[in-house]
């Protein structure tokens, strides 16, 4: 039976913050097979009437460890 692929998204304005988030997630996850990663820089607004600010978005497609 094929493994289930999952997606995890990280988003922040600073690269070091995303690095910390990803490292903490990987430490918590233990083992996994990373299939693909994608990084984009975009602009976001937290509220509809706020101005936008640059944001880094990292998407990770992975297969979780087998139980």
């Amino acid at each position: 039976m094929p493994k289930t692929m999952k997606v995890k998204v990280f988003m922040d304005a600073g690269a070091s913050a995303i690095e910390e988030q990803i490292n903490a997630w990987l430490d918590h996850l233990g083992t996994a097979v990373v299939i693909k990663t994608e990084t984009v820089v975009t602009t976001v607004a937290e509220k509809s009437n706020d101005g936008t600010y640059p944001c880094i978005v990292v998407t990770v497609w992975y297969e979780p460890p087998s139980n």
Side-chain angles (χ1 to χ4, degrees):
M1 179 172 215
K3 292 184 180 182
T4 303
M5 189 168 16
K6 299 202 176 222
V7 175
K8 180 73 175 174
V9 177
F10 301 91
M11 187 169 82
D12 201 281
S16 61
I18 290 180
E19 179 182 13
E20 290 175 13
Q21 292 172 15
I22 291 173
N23 286 335
W25 172 69
L26 288 171
D27 286 344
H28 174 75
L29 193 60
T31 60
V33 177
V34 174
I35 306 300
K36 176 184 171 182
T37 62
E38 182 177 278
T39 304
V40 296
V41 177
T42 187
T43 56
V44 297
E46 292 191 18
K47 297 178 183 173
S48 60
N49 58 350
D50 282 350
T52 60
Y53 62 93
C55 191
I56 302 166
V57 180
V58 176
T59 307
V60 180
W61 287 263
Y62 69 101
E63 291 178 353
S66 301
N67 291 339

